[in-house]
Amino acid sequence: EDSELFSIVLQASIDVWKSEERRGLWLKLPIPSHAGLLPEALKNDFTLHHCTESYLMLTRWLPSTPNTLPLYTSHFVGVGGFVVNDKRQILVIQEKNGPAVGRWKVPGGMVDPKEDIPDAAVREVLEETGIPCQFQSIVSFRQHQRSDF
């Protein structure tokens, strides 16, 4: 990792991209191996977009127009499995942990990264009850911005 060389190459690249009328730049820095390059990226007007356990993602908007690069995710997706048996009984569970201890609810939880909603609903029902089920349809949507994490 050579931050001086990185800065020279980055600035030269930015000049080329500007001449090519590029708009948005994405810079992915592996961590911890390249974390020391972050100050140089920030000096070149990159801003932090998001990070994971293995990298930092930075962006830079080149034109003088408003930045239209997508923001990082701001919502979590949860599912609840509304399961009805042949006797038209609804499957519910009583919460044992967390802020809703003692409340009755349908089995459910958070969708895992790269998991589809139907698969998450079936998985959550099985994990929380041991009962296999089949996904038929989405019944409703709900949104909130607050997180319990």
Side-chain angles (χ1 to χ4, degrees), residues 38-90:
L38 179 61
E40 294 303 318
L42 296 175
K43 286 178 191 173
N44 281 281
D45 297 322
F46 279 83
T47 58
L48 183 63
H49 186 266
H50 71 275
C51 63
T52 70
E53 293 178 3
S54 62
Y55 67 85
L56 300 169
M57 183 65 74
L58 297 105
T59 62
R60 177 170 172 190
W61 187 249
L62 294 177
S64 58
T65 59
N67 184 340
T68 60
L69 291 175
L71 299 175
Y72 193 59
T73 57
S74 63
H75 293 68
F76 294 94
V77 178
V79 295
F82 192 81
V83 180
V84 181
N85 67 11
D86 293 338
K87 296 178 183 178
R88 300 179 53 98
Q89 296 170 318
I90 299 169

Side-chain angles (χ1 to χ4, degrees), residues 79-83 90-93 104-109 128:
V79 295
F82 192 81
V83 180
I90 299 169
L91 177 64
V92 294
I93 62 171
W104 290 95
K105 67 172 197 133
V106 297
E128 294 191 1

Side-chain angles (χ1 to χ4, degrees), residues 130-142:
I131 298 172
C133 65
Q134 293 179 344
F135 180 86
Q136 290 187 342
S137 68
I138 293 176
V139 176
S140 69
F141 284 94
R142 181 176 80 91

Side-chain angles (χ1 to χ4, degrees), residues 94-109:
Q94 195 168 23
E95 192 66 52
K96 292 182 180 180
N97 301 304
V101 171
R103 290 188 187 162
W104 290 95
K105 67 172 197 133
V106 297

